[in-house]
Amino acid sequence: MTATIDFLSHLNPSQRRAVEHFCGPLLVVAGAGSGKTRALTYRIANLILEHRVDPENILAVTFTNKAAREMKERIQKLFAERLAIAEFGERFELLPEYDQVQLKSRVWRTYIKDLWCGTFHSLFSRILRFDIEKYQDEKGRRWNRNFSIFDESDAQSLVKEIVTKQLNLDEKKFEPRSVRYTISNAKNQGLSPQEFAKEQPNYRGRVISEVYSYYQDRLAENNALDFDDLILMPVRLFQQNEQVLGYWHSKFRHILVDEYQDTNRTQYELISLLVTHGETKRSNWEWRDRSVFVVGDADQSIYSFRMADFTILLDFQQDFGDGLPDEDTRTMVKLEENYRSCENILQAANQLIENNTQRIDKILRATRGAGEQIFSHKADDEMAEAEFVINQIRTLERQNPELDWGSFAILYRTNAQSRPFEDILVRLGIPYTVVGGLKFYDRKEIKDVLAYLRAIANPADTVSLLRVINTPRRGIGKATIDNLVGAAQELGTTLWEILSDETSVNTLAGRSARSVNNFAQMISRWQEQVETLPVSELLQGVLEDSGYVQDLLNQGTDEAEDRVQNVQELFNAVLQFQEENEEVTLQAFLASTALSSDLDNLKEGQTAVSLMTLHASKGLEFPVVFLVGLEQGLFPNYRSMNDPNALEEERRLCYVGITRAQERLFISHARERRLYGNREPAMRSQFLDELPEELLATHHLGRIPYTKGVGSSTSQRTTVGKQSFGENWQVGDRVLHKKFGEGEVTHIFGSGRKISLAIKFDSLGQKIIDPIVAQLQRVE
């Protein structure tokens, strides 16, 4: 018993109650930063140590491979530390390296190796390797245990082949990506092709159900499954074969599920079948030496677009638990002590999320001091917002030796919002990384559109021509392109010389000649207007003529919509470039984008400012967080404005963003924002109005305090250096830049807040600098 007390002494009372639960159902409502991973790992260890549960009888489901690895590593470390004390009388980290390796190896063999811990997909694909040959679907399709797993690219190719070749459908009406997306959603709802067909009232739905059926035929022919099958097929197998279900039900006596609010209906069905043996009568359920332990937080459910259904968590008490009120229940524990954030941040998060109706009541309680007020900033536009954010980052990093670039995160609602921040970070040489996505100028759609512009600006750019000649698809196949390229190489000329000659194309391109000639004529038309049209009009024309944006819109997926927003943001970048530069040619704009995209990759171990969408931020934490773009229609997004359920998910997303911050939180919005070229007035987000006023500071930031032990009344405060937009700059001024050293102003562009200076630095040559962001000092 003493060992148990020592073993669990690191846990708070709520964590301990969860960990010590043995048999039956338990829902652990784990608020942000409340130690849910600790509760899960200690529970597994407690089952093995105190209740002598065999590791192979434990099934622990996570949502990422990283989470599964972390859980195994923590359990291994926990057991190794106990063995070190028991056998050597020393702490594990004080043992010689040889003994450490030996202990960890024993722990792995004894406890970790046989533990079933992983993602839904990895665990249930493993089950299928044992039993898939006992399954056949409603059409008699069969697979064997050597099945392949098709990734998304494979699945897309298969659907495209069925749509365009097998069924000869109009690719514009039945865009393969959109069809694949619909099939995936059907599988995530547990629907077979026949079940899906019954739900379709219109022609399009019925055709897609036919594609779905052929798609399953082709998968079976290839002895292949897609990712969705790895979840749906075990459900069907368990429903179909009582003997198989009985075996796995008997094996997995203790089931743990992390991030339970992110499960979909098919995943829920899997867990339910394993827990209940498919028995629908609750009175027949057997809980002796058996448990289901789920951990989650409805307030952090933000993945409905992936078919996640947080009501599964809300219904746990009715589905498995005792259904009693929160204060009386024995089948729910709330983890409300937060170890991550300062009190002011948590109070703001608590007050915001109380506006949601679909949730389990809980209050995050701080275990740290009050901290600084949340700073709310109203910028003139998106560029001024980016300037404000980067200024604060630079000042905080300079003033606080305990902070480095990796201490900062900029969170936004959509990927397209990263561009203004990236532009300034690149200009200032501040290292940054885009988490969970590509940097703006590395995104496929941006590279595609820029390739059009490069081909128009420089007809000899064969690489760009090859990138766009069949993007979007124009029926120009690889064989045709190879013929055209081969001829150019043979003649020692450029590909464009061949493409721009109609006779040559007609000779070489066969049935694709018309498509190739139309493409070449389009490029020629815009080449003729490069000198006379503003870049923005040229880009708009190319986007319309090429059908690029229309092709994305036809796909009808969330991913395609994000790509459209990125293309719109590129158009905004062109307009900004035209406003801020004297030379506004196409070549000059393309040169400016090349500087952004050619930024050196981060060296390993180098710290960097993190830029990411709010969705990508879940599970992460940072000392300083900037939550940007809080405007109606942007965040919350316009699609949620008239949908109460969607609005609640947007609010949960905001809650997730706020609770990423450990020490400082900055929230910003703009008076106006450029949306596809037009300056539109912006209204502050309703979420800002739902935060407690007393916790918000909106005064000018003359000082930027940061204290590692937040809450101390003796925290040191340092004054920010004087900002430079009020300077009366003149050609010939000598200036000092923090990174580039001394230089001389040679040109002045713009006026007021929009001023830019061309500076010839003594050691680096000429650079164009924004003095507001750079905080230049005049050298007297």
Side-chain angles (χ1 to χ4, degrees):
M1 187 64 188
T2 307
T4 305
I5 293 169
D6 291 339
F7 169 55
L8 302 178
S9 62
H10 300 297
L11 306 178
N12 67 39
S14 296
Q15 290 172 333
R16 184 167 187 143
R17 185 181 153 206
V19 166
E20 290 184 322
H21 173 83
F22 181 34
C23 295
L26 189 72
L27 166 63
V28 180
V29 179
S34 64
K36 73 178 178 69
T37 305
R38 169 174 281 201
L40 283 160
T41 52
Y42 270 78
R43 171 166 176 75
I44 292 171
N46 197 57
L47 286 172
I48 296 169
L49 284 172
E50 298 304 316
H51 300 289
R52 301 293 181 258
V53 175
D54 192 316
E56 71 172 18
N57 297 138
I58 297 173
L59 179 74
V61 187
T62 65
F63 266 77
T64 65
N65 290 312
K66 180 184 174 188
R69 282 195 305 272
E70 183 185 353
M71 204 177 295
K72 288 177 184 174
E73 286 165 4
R74 286 203 194 188
I75 296 167
Q76 185 179 27
K77 183 169 183 279
L78 202 155
F79 278 112
E81 286 170 346
R82 284 175 59 81
L83 277 176
I85 297 293
E87 296 189 7
F88 296 93
E90 285 277 13
R91 295 210 312 272
F92 177 79
E93 60 268 23
L94 299 179
L95 294 179
E97 187 176 345
Y98 174 81
D99 291 332
Q100 288 187 12
V101 171
Q102 289 292 101
L103 272 184
K104 287 180 79 172
S105 178
R106 273 175 53 200
V107 167
W108 179 264
R109 289 194 310 272
T110 308
Y111 302 112
I112 311 298
K113 181 172 66 70
D114 294 330
L115 181 68
W116 283 61
C117 178
T119 63
F120 272 103
H121 293 90
S122 65
L123 293 171
F124 288 95
S125 64
R126 190 174 161 192
I127 287 174
L128 288 173
R129 295 288 179 196
F130 286 98
D131 286 326
I132 196 169
E133 290 170 5
K134 296 167 186 162
Y135 170 76
Q136 67 174 6
D137 71 7
E138 71 282 353
K139 272 190 68 177
R141 304 180 186 98
R142 286 185 174 275
W143 289 258
N144 68 52
R145 66 182 56 191
N146 296 320
F147 60 83
S148 301
I149 299 173
F150 277 9
D151 64 17
E152 192 53 37
S153 173
D154 298 326
Q156 292 274 9
S157 298
L158 197 53
V159 169
K160 180 184 174 185
E161 194 175 320
I162 293 165
V163 167
T164 58
K165 295 182 180 174
Q166 192 166 348
L167 296 178
N168 292 315
L169 298 172
D170 184 338
E171 213 176 329
K172 290 183 178 175
K173 290 181 181 174
F174 294 94
E175 208 287 324
R177 277 178 181 267
S178 178
V179 172
R180 164 66 190 137
Y181 183 75
T182 304
I183 292 171
S184 179
N185 281 351
K187 289 188 177 186
N188 282 320
Q189 294 173 67
L191 300 175
S192 68
Q194 289 166 299
E195 291 164 338
F196 178 73
K198 288 175 186 173
E199 292 193 357
Q200 302 309 308
N202 56 37
Y203 170 73
R204 176 179 171 79
R206 290 192 295 274
V207 171
I208 291 177
S209 70
E210 189 179 1
V211 176
Y212 182 6
S213 184
Y214 280 120
Y215 174 67
Q216 291 304 108
D217 288 343
R218 298 291 293 279
L219 286 174
E221 288 167 16
N222 286 275
N223 191 34
L225 306 179
D226 65 22
F227 283 161
D228 302 313
D229 288 324
L230 298 178
I231 309 299
L232 179 56
M233 198 169 287
V235 169
R236 298 293 196 189
L237 173 61
F238 290 164
Q239 290 169 337
Q240 187 181 101
N241 192 314
E242 190 175 339
Q243 188 179 4
V244 171
L245 174 58
Y247 172 81
W248 295 106
H249 168 75
S250 175
K251 179 178 177 62
F252 297 130
R253 306 199 65 82
H254 296 278
I255 296 175
L256 301 90
V257 186
D258 191 14
E259 303 287 8
Y260 193 61
Q261 77 281 349
D262 292 334
T263 49
N264 62 37
R265 283 288 152 189
T266 317
Q267 291 163 339
Y268 164 77
E269 192 67 30
L270 262 183
I271 297 300
S272 181
L273 284 165
L274 285 174
V275 168
T276 68
H277 196 191
E279 174 60 65
T280 55
K281 240 179 136 177
R282 288 176 67 110
S283 58
N284 290 340
W285 291 354
E286 176 57 70
W287 289 114
R288 189 177 62 231
D289 294 332
R290 177 176 293 283
S291 68
V292 59
F293 180 95
V294 304
V295 182
D297 180 10
D299 292 339
Q300 296 185 74
S301 176
I302 57 174
Y303 296 124
S304 65
F305 64 94
R306 295 181 191 165
M307 304 306 292
D309 183 353
F310 72 98
T311 64
I312 291 169
L313 182 144
L314 297 180
D315 292 341
F316 180 89
Q317 286 285 67
Q318 298 305 319
D319 291 346
F320 298 106
D322 55 26
L324 296 175
D326 292 5
E327 58 273 15
D328 301 322
T329 181
R330 298 176 63 84
T331 57
M332 179 170 68
V333 173
K334 297 179 184 179
L335 305 185
E336 297 175 293
E337 289 185 58
N338 176 284
Y339 297 92
R340 175 188 299 157
S341 305
C342 297
E343 188 176 358
N344 285 342
I345 292 168
L346 294 183
Q347 283 188 27
N350 285 332
Q351 186 156 324
L352 174 80
I353 204 63
E354 282 175 8
N355 290 279
N356 273 12
T357 59
Q358 299 185 78
R359 61 188 299 263
I360 296 171
D361 282 340
K362 71 173 190 314
I363 302 272
L364 290 179
R365 294 191 299 273
T367 57
R368 311 179 54 198
E372 304 292 341
Q373 285 181 294
I374 297 164
F375 193 85
S376 174
H377 178 72
K378 184 176 185 177
D380 288 339
D381 56 26
E382 69 274 13
M383 286 310 298
E385 179 184 46
E387 288 167 358
F388 165 80
V389 168
I390 307 307
N391 260 333
Q392 308 319 311
I393 289 175
R394 295 179 75 234
T395 304
L396 277 167
E397 190 270 343
R398 185 171 65 244
Q399 292 175 351
N400 299 278
E402 66 270 40
L403 295 179
D404 56 35
W405 299 124
S407 304
F408 303 95
I410 303 170
L411 310 183
Y412 36 77
R413 180 62 182 83
T414 66
N415 276 305
Q417 288 172 259
S418 74
R419 201 267 309 168
F421 300 97
E422 291 190 58
D423 282 355
I424 296 177
L425 289 165
V426 167
R427 191 191 315 158
L428 295 178
I430 296 174
Y432 74 95
T433 182
V434 179
V435 177
L438 293 169
K439 293 181 177 180
F440 183 77
Y441 289 103
D442 288 341
R443 293 169 191 161
K444 178 187 181 301
E445 58 277 14
I446 301 304
K447 284 179 170 289
D448 287 345
V449 175
L450 289 176
Y452 272 105
L453 296 182
R454 290 193 182 103
I456 290 165
N458 173 22
D461 185 346
T462 296
V463 171
S464 292
L465 281 170
L466 289 174
R467 184 178 183 102
V468 297
I469 191 170
N470 198 42
T471 305
R473 290 182 292 273
R474 300 184 173 87
I476 304 173
K478 183 178 183 301
T480 298
I481 294 171
D482 288 346
N483 286 343
L484 296 166
V485 171
Q489 290 172 342
E490 187 74 23
L491 295 173
T493 187
T494 64
L495 176 61
W496 178 246
E497 288 294 322
I498 303 294
L499 293 180
S500 58
D501 179 49
E502 194 170 326
T503 303
S504 299
V505 169
N506 290 339
T507 304
L508 294 166
R511 287 180 299 175
S512 301
R514 184 175 179 183
S515 296
V516 175
N517 283 324
N518 287 342
F519 169 76
Q521 288 160 14
M522 175 186 69
I523 298 295
S524 291
R525 279 198 305 275
W526 293 110
Q527 284 172 349
E528 290 167 6
Q529 300 183 70
V530 162
E531 302 297 329
T532 57
L533 275 185
V535 181
S536 56
E537 289 184 31
L538 188 132
L539 173 58
Q540 195 165 15
V542 169
L543 290 174
E544 289 174 7
D545 258 16
S546 66
Y548 192 87
V549 170
Q550 190 58 52
D551 180 67
L552 290 173
L553 292 172
N554 290 343
Q555 291 176 25
T557 65
D558 289 343
E559 179 191 357
E561 186 170 323
D562 284 346
R563 292 185 185 279
V564 171
Q565 290 179 352
N566 288 332
V567 173
Q568 291 173 345
E569 185 56 33
L570 180 65
F571 186 76
N572 292 342
V574 169
L575 290 175
Q576 182 189 327
F577 176 81
Q578 290 175 171
E579 289 173 1
E580 295 180 355
N581 292 273
E582 288 186 344
E583 185 187 356
V584 291
T585 62
L586 176 59
Q587 287 84 354
F589 171 71
L590 291 171
S592 74
T593 66
L595 291 174
S596 293
S597 58
D598 290 343
L599 184 68
D600 289 340
N601 290 329
L602 284 177
K603 308 290 187 294
E604 191 170 339
Q606 184 179 355
T607 60
V609 176
S610 294
L611 279 70
M612 71 192 81
T613 64
L614 284 146
H615 283 102
S617 75
K618 190 160 179 290
L620 303 177
E621 56 187 38
F622 300 89
V624 185
V625 167
F626 293 85
L627 190 50
V628 302
L630 264 83
E631 296 145 30
Q632 291 293 95
L634 182 58
F635 189 32
N637 71 14
Y638 69 92
R639 287 177 296 179
S640 68
M641 304 302 290
N642 297 311
D643 181 344
N645 289 334
L647 184 61
E648 291 210 353
E649 176 143 340
E650 290 288 295
R651 189 177 284 111
R652 292 194 294 270
L653 197 54
C654 189
Y655 174 84
V656 165
I658 290 171
T659 54
R660 298 312 94 196
Q662 296 170 300
E663 315 284 350
R664 294 297 313 272
L665 176 63
F666 294 78
I667 299 178
S668 61
H669 62 108
R671 288 188 177 88
E672 63 176 30
R673 190 171 292 270
R674 199 194 300 273
L675 298 171
Y676 202 49
N678 299 316
R679 284 255 165 236
E680 301 286 351
M683 184 185 301
R684 62 185 263 142
S685 169
Q686 67 188 80
F687 298 154
L688 268 172
D689 298 325
E690 293 171 5
L691 299 178
E693 280 186 35
E694 66 274 14
L695 298 182
L696 298 180
T698 55
H699 57 281
H700 176 68
L701 258 186
R703 299 171 183 269
I704 305 180
Y706 174 89
T707 53
K708 194 65 178 173
V710 182
S712 165
S713 59
T714 59
S715 60
Q716 185 178 356
R717 296 170 182 250
T718 312
T719 305
V720 179
K722 181 176 142 189
Q723 289 190 327
S724 56
F725 54 79
E727 296 279 4
N728 183 21
W729 296 105
Q730 295 181 4
V731 172
D733 281 349
R734 294 288 295 174
V735 297
L736 179 64
H737 186 281
K738 181 182 175 184
K739 181 175 180 182
F740 304 141
E742 282 194 30
E744 181 174 321
V745 177
T746 60
H747 296 81
I748 300 173
F749 307 124
S751 60
R753 287 188 62 87
K754 296 291 185 184
I755 201 168
S756 296
L757 307 177
I759 301 170
K760 187 173 183 181
F761 288 98
D762 298 347
S763 58
L764 292 169
Q766 191 108 333
K767 290 184 180 291
I768 298 176
I769 299 289
D770 183 334
I772 299 174
V773 174
Q775 296 188 331
L776 294 174
Q777 293 179 341
R778 184 183 269 111
V779 179
E780 301 298 339

